[in-house]
Amino acid sequence: MNFNISEILSKLQVDIKGVNPGVSTGSTHWQGSGNVLDSFSPVDGKIIAKIGTASKDDYQKVIEKAVEAFANWRMMPAPKRGEIVRQVGDELRKYKSELGALVSYEMGKSYQEGLGEVQEMIDICDFAVGLSRQLYGLTIHSERPQHRMYEQYHPLGVVGIITAFNFPVAVWSWNTALAWICGDVCIWKPSEKTPICSIACQVIAARVLARNNVPEGVSCIVNGNYEVGEWLTNDKNIPLISATGSTRMGKIVGAAVSQRFGKSLLELGGNNAIIVSEHANMDLALRGVLFGAVGTAGQRCTTTRRVIIHEKVYDSFKATLVKAYGQLKIGNPLDTTNHVGPLIDQLAVDTYLKAIEKGKKEGAKFIIEGGLLDGKEFESGCYVKPCIAEAENKMEIVQSETFAPILYLLKYKTLEEAIAIQNGVPQGLSSSIFTNNLQESEYFLSHQGSDCGIANVNIGTSGAEIGGAFGGEKETGGGRESGSDAWKIYMRRQTNTTNFGSSLPLAQGIEFNL
């Protein structure tokens, strides 16, 4: 595609001259009086723009505006809030190609994946519109005569959203679209590695909100470093913190929020495995493993990091996989002929290289060597080689999540052994088995099978549909976002009882002689 970042940002109405606004409560944007943040593109190493970040005073202004907006926004009927979310989805449709290109350039994922991420935003808006007419409670039969008992949900308040760089726009929308129709207002702390994407999203949303006379503060962004996240997690004005990132970060956020009896929605690390059975369709398995392992340069929480292969097909599948890796094209992600783009920054590259070194020290045998790519098209210093190693599940490096395209091959004899290997890591996000054997697939999906929040048959670990709840167990954090009944986390549950009779039966049969 023909790409010009200045033209892209101009179409998105993001001004790249001088210091960009890094703080916003809707149509009102300001630069912020905190430190200036440079946004680098890992595609070519160039600075996209300079971002003004929030000071503590800026943050307090945002909080005050959000709290004020909540009092108004929650009074609007949910279907009317849904109508506004529908308009946001339509606005995203208009700018899908431009926003997708910005995601690709600022984050480094392929242009196709950038478009796919914006489509997820559109899809969650569509989902939320329908949901706005379905925020159902329950009617419960009371044990007391002439009493009606029921359960309903109310808006929660201000929702703090902390997102990671690898999905710089979609995860915000997963939370925001649902929170909005539930009657909540949102404050977004995006990754400091992808701040321009957050400004573009805020500009798009703010136009719709302004057209509908929605008060300032329903949609807010606060750009900055980890300190902004700390302000959010420790703020008693924010009943829910949704945080996406590493397990280390999640432990800090979860502990801080629980100290003030707030609610956390944690989407943390993944160490995802695909089991390749002797009964698998090997063509399907190859595609699932390849995309799962190298998509987004291994920087998805659902990236395939381990492949557990039956001993009867281990050698043949390994040979086919190695051949497929040899056909991968690495380069500028805006060139749609390339399969793999760069890692996000130099820190990610260093982590990748150290993981390879550690793996070798622990005895992993690299059958496709990794390393840093050099040359003019790789001058950003962020392009690396996807690599494959034969390893054992007990190795410390295999037990860890490395956010890079490193794939470990493991061998098994029985399905029970394969599942034990699959489950034998601290994380529990996504899992998959490739098999045409009904007994194997059902066993994998049973309570004796995968312990992950996502378990698939004959598709890979990477990628999830909006309609299903997304999230994982163990050190993945236990949170659920997007579809199903994930909306309930954004609301407070209330049980109600109405006595429409003329007597008042008391608990445990107690009587007062009045």
Side-chain angles (χ1 to χ4, degrees):
M1 65 171 294
N2 294 322
F3 178 79
N4 183 305
I5 185 60
S6 296
E7 291 181 4
I8 293 292
L9 293 176
S10 177
K11 290 180 180 179
L12 290 168
Q13 298 182 31
V14 176
D15 183 10
I16 62 172
K17 296 178 181 178
V19 179
N20 277 283
V23 183
S24 173
T25 57
S27 297
T28 301
H29 314 287
W30 67 96
Q31 292 181 355
S33 50
N35 296 327
V36 173
L37 176 67
D38 291 335
S39 173
F40 289 89
S41 170
V43 175
D44 54 20
K46 295 179 180 179
I47 295 179
I48 304 172
K50 295 180 180 293
I51 304 300
T53 62
S55 67
K56 192 61 182 291
D57 287 342
D58 296 325
Y59 171 80
Q60 290 299 335
K61 292 177 185 176
V62 171
I63 285 290
E64 290 169 8
K65 191 62 72 173
V67 170
E68 180 184 326
F70 173 61
N72 182 297
W73 180 244
R74 67 182 175 180
M75 299 304 294
M76 183 181 292
K80 292 188 179 298
R81 296 193 295 260
E83 164 58 19
I84 292 171
V85 172
R86 183 195 65 77
Q87 294 176 37
V88 172
D90 285 348
E91 199 76 5
L92 288 168
R93 285 180 172 89
K94 294 178 186 177
Y95 295 96
K96 179 178 175 178
S97 61
E98 289 83 7
L99 187 55
L102 175 59
V103 167
S104 177
Y105 187 62
E106 189 174 30
M107 185 269 150
K109 63 176 60 177
S110 71
Y111 177 56
Q112 297 97 316
E113 289 183 84
L115 293 175
E117 185 168 348
V118 180
Q119 186 60 49
E120 284 191 32
M121 302 176 78
I122 295 166
D123 292 344
I124 195 63
C125 286
D126 288 349
F127 179 87
V129 173
L131 187 62
S132 69
R133 295 180 181 270
Q134 302 176 70
L135 300 177
Y136 300 134
L138 294 171
T139 298
I140 305 160
H141 287 280
S142 174
E143 65 184 30
R144 293 167 287 191
Q146 295 188 307
H147 282 64
R148 183 167 71 92
M149 186 162 58
Y150 61 99
E151 194 175 77
Q152 62 179 332
Y153 290 84
H154 296 297
L156 194 60
V158 181
V159 173
I161 303 168
I162 301 171
T163 60
F165 72 87
N166 58 329
F167 280 84
V169 296
V171 175
W172 167 74
S173 70
W174 290 0
N175 286 273
T176 302
L178 297 191
W180 278 347
I181 62 103
C182 289
D184 302 324
V185 301
C186 299
I187 300 177
W188 180 18
K189 190 276 177 198
S191 169
E192 55 267 44
K193 298 180 182 182
T194 51
I196 310 294
C197 286
S198 72
I199 295 171
C201 290
Q202 179 71 345
V203 168
I204 289 171
R207 284 200 295 269
V208 174
L209 297 175
R211 285 200 299 264
N212 287 274
N213 297 314
V214 172
E216 292 280 325
V218 169
S219 179
C220 306
I221 58 168
V222 186
N223 267 301
N225 60 16
Y226 70 94
E227 289 183 331
V228 176
E230 290 180 346
W231 299 338
L232 286 166
T233 55
N234 290 291
D235 196 327
K236 291 183 178 180
N237 291 297
I238 303 176
L240 171 65
I241 294 290
S242 174
T244 303
S246 67
T247 296
R248 180 192 63 80
M249 180 273 284
K251 288 179 179 179
I252 296 170
V253 170
V257 175
S258 65
Q259 282 292 314
R260 58 180 179 82
F261 295 100
K263 296 165 67 175
S264 301
L265 194 171
L266 301 177
E267 293 289 355
L268 310 176
N271 193 347
N272 316 293
I274 290 177
I275 297 172
V276 179
S277 163
E278 63 179 309
H279 306 294
N281 178 320
M282 295 303 164
D283 289 336
L284 287 184
L286 178 65
R287 288 177 178 274
V289 170
L290 187 63
F291 176 72
V294 305
T296 324
Q299 298 173 112
R300 290 178 176 229
C301 51
T302 54
T303 289
T304 305
R305 309 205 181 278
R306 298 173 296 144
V307 185
I308 307 163
I309 310 168
H310 193 276
E311 60 181 4
K312 289 184 179 179
V313 296
Y314 182 88
D315 289 336
S316 60
F317 188 80
K318 178 179 71 173
T320 305
L321 186 61
V322 168
K323 182 179 179 181
Y325 264 61
Q327 298 172 1
L328 290 174
K329 295 180 180 179
I330 307 168
N332 187 325
L334 289 153
D335 181 346
T336 55
T337 64
N338 290 324
H339 303 113
V340 184
L343 295 180
I344 185 65
D345 57 18
Q346 193 58 54
L347 178 61
V349 172
D350 293 342
T351 300
Y352 158 85
L353 294 173
K354 288 176 181 176
I356 293 174
E357 182 181 349
K358 182 176 177 62
K360 289 180 177 179
K361 287 181 179 179
E362 292 184 2
K365 178 185 175 184
F366 279 80
I367 56 177
I368 292 184
E369 290 286 346
L372 186 64
L373 291 168
D374 54 19
K376 187 172 182 181
E377 65 176 313
F378 308 123
E379 59 187 355
S380 71
C382 296
Y383 291 86
V384 300
K385 301 174 185 176
C387 56
I388 302 176
E390 296 179 290
E392 296 182 27
N393 207 53
K394 65 182 180 181
M395 292 177 179
E396 187 176 338
I397 192 62
V398 178
Q399 291 283 310
S400 305
E401 178 192 42
T402 303
F403 234 49
I406 304 174
L407 182 66
Y408 301 106
L409 305 187
L410 310 161
K411 188 184 293 186
Y412 79 94
K413 292 183 179 181
T414 67
L415 181 60
E416 290 80 5
E417 179 189 2
I419 290 174
I421 294 171
Q422 140 69 39
N423 294 344
V425 293
Q427 309 84 359
L429 179 53
S430 187
S431 58
S432 174
I433 186 171
F434 278 85
T435 181
N436 287 332
N437 183 295
L438 179 62
Q439 288 179 314
E440 287 188 334
S441 63
E442 289 300 316
Y443 188 90
F444 178 75
L445 298 176
S446 75
H447 67 275
Q448 302 172 82
S450 170
D451 65 359
C452 294
I454 299 170
N456 298 327
V457 176
N458 292 333
I459 63 170
T461 62
S462 191
E465 291 189 38
I466 288 300
F470 179 89
E473 301 301 321
K474 302 189 292 189
E475 289 192 3
T476 301
R480 292 297 186 275
E481 292 175 321
S482 190
S484 185
D485 65 350
W487 61 270
K488 292 180 179 179
I489 190 70
Y490 304 97
M491 304 194 83
R492 59 181 177 88
R493 185 190 305 224
Q494 185 180 79
T495 301
N496 310 108
T497 304
T498 300
N499 177 2
F500 58 91
S502 57
S503 63
L504 182 63
L506 302 177
Q508 288 82 46
I510 294 174
E511 293 186 7
F512 290 98
N513 294 319
L514 300 176

